[in-house]
Structures are given as C-alpha cells and as structure tokens.
Amino acid sequence: MVYRRCPQCGATGDDQYGFCIKCGWEFPKIDPTKKLCPLCGYDNPEEADFCVKCGTPLMFVNTPPNNTIGPIVIKKEVVGKPESGTSGFLKWLIIFGYLFSILGGLLGLIIAIYLVTRKDPKVRKHGIIQLAIFGFYIVILAVLYATGNIPADALTNYQQLILGNTTLP
C-alpha cells in the first residue's frame, strides 16, 4: 500500500483504489519493485527514506504486506445540531410575510429582510421570494408612473389612501 498526496487537491490517502478520494484524480501506476516517489514519480535509491527530488517521505512505499496500516477513521459529531425543518414560529412568520408582501405593507418588507438573514436555506428562499414580490411592485409602480397612468399626487397622497380617505384634496 502506498500513501500518496494528490497533486490536484492536496488530499492524502492510500493508493488502494488508484484515485484520489476527494477529487477523483487518477494516480499513475507505480512499479512495486522500484522505490518511486508517490508524489513526483522519481526513481529513488533503495536506502533513501525521503525522495531525492521533492522530499516526500518514502516510509510507506513498498512496505511488506504483513505490516498493514489501516486508515484512520474520525467520527465527526456536531454538538447542538439544530432540528431538521423550520420551527412553528418561522412557519407563521413565512405565512405572514407572504400575506404582508402581497398586500404591499412595510411589515412584509421587514419580515422578508429578517427571513433572508436566517441560516436555514428554506427560510432564506422564502425571504428572497418575498423581496422579489416587493421588487415586482416597485417596478410596476415605476412603469405606471413613467407612462403617466399614476399621477404624482397619487404617490404623495399614499397616507390618505391607507387611512381610507379616498377624496382628493
């Protein structure tokens, strides 16, 4: 078994499969009768413990089969891993965010910005969609204003429309 360092990604692993386990780069074949460097492929003398050309350790090259060194397995465990799925609070916040975004209120914009800042990709996706709804409304208002379908007074009297006063001044 030959331990090699992948020249493409730099990962270290044994030559059991002939490919790098991280990126899939195919290792060139090594003749077991020669003391070739696993990194650069240089043919080193028998007494060399390090590659003469690049300095790579040659301690695992041509080791006898009875001296097997198994791979080191590290079990990674995340402490305090969040539960999968969104909480009830965020589900209601997403629903109210859509409601207020469609109605065009400022509260919907605040909820959308809050959802975009969350780490959960599903929640972030809903926040981006709600921001896109606001962007769509802004584009529609700009087009209507540019074409003259909405007078400038309608935009300035927006507070009167919110309060229910539909009479013109």
Side-chain angles (χ1 to χ4, degrees):
M1 177 183 331
V2 177
Y3 282 88
R4 293 180 158 187
R5 181 175 301 276
C6 176
Q8 185 172 349
C9 70
T12 304
D14 60 307
D15 192 21
Q16 179 181 359
Y17 304 110
F19 295 93
C20 175
I21 60 173
K22 296 290 182 184
C23 68
W25 188 79
E26 184 176 4
F27 291 121
K29 302 294 180 206
I30 293 179
D31 185 10
T33 60
K34 296 183 178 181
K35 200 163 190 179
L36 296 175
C37 175
L39 183 62
C40 68
Y42 185 77
D43 189 11
N44 292 287
E46 281 297 318
E47 64 273 0
D49 290 332
F50 294 91
C51 177
V52 177
K53 185 175 178 184
C54 69
T56 302
L58 301 173
M59 65 173 79
F60 296 118
V61 176
N62 299 329
T63 55
N66 59 359
N67 186 12
T68 59
I69 298 175
I72 299 172
V73 178
I74 300 173
K75 184 178 178 183
K76 294 182 179 180
E77 195 171 316
V78 179
V79 178
K81 183 178 176 185
E83 299 176 4
S84 62
T86 56
S87 67
F89 171 72
L90 285 177
K91 286 181 184 179
W92 281 105
L93 202 60
I94 291 170
I95 292 170
F96 283 121
Y98 277 117
L99 179 69
F100 289 122
S101 294
I102 292 171
L103 294 176
L106 182 63
L107 187 59
L109 179 64
I110 293 170
I111 292 173
I113 291 172
Y114 174 78
L115 293 176
V116 168
T117 60
R118 301 297 96 197
K119 290 184 180 181
D120 187 7
K122 292 178 184 178
V123 174
R124 183 179 295 146
K125 177 188 74 165
H126 289 292
I128 291 171
I129 292 171
Q130 292 171 16
L131 286 176
I133 292 170
F134 275 105
F136 178 71
Y137 281 148
I138 290 172
V139 169
I140 287 177
L141 286 174
V143 168
L144 291 175
Y145 180 73
T147 58
N149 291 330
I150 295 179
D153 294 341
L155 295 177
T156 57
N157 294 333
Y158 181 67
Q159 286 291 5
Q160 289 182 358
L161 293 174
I162 291 174
L163 297 175
N165 186 3
T166 56
T167 60
L168 294 174

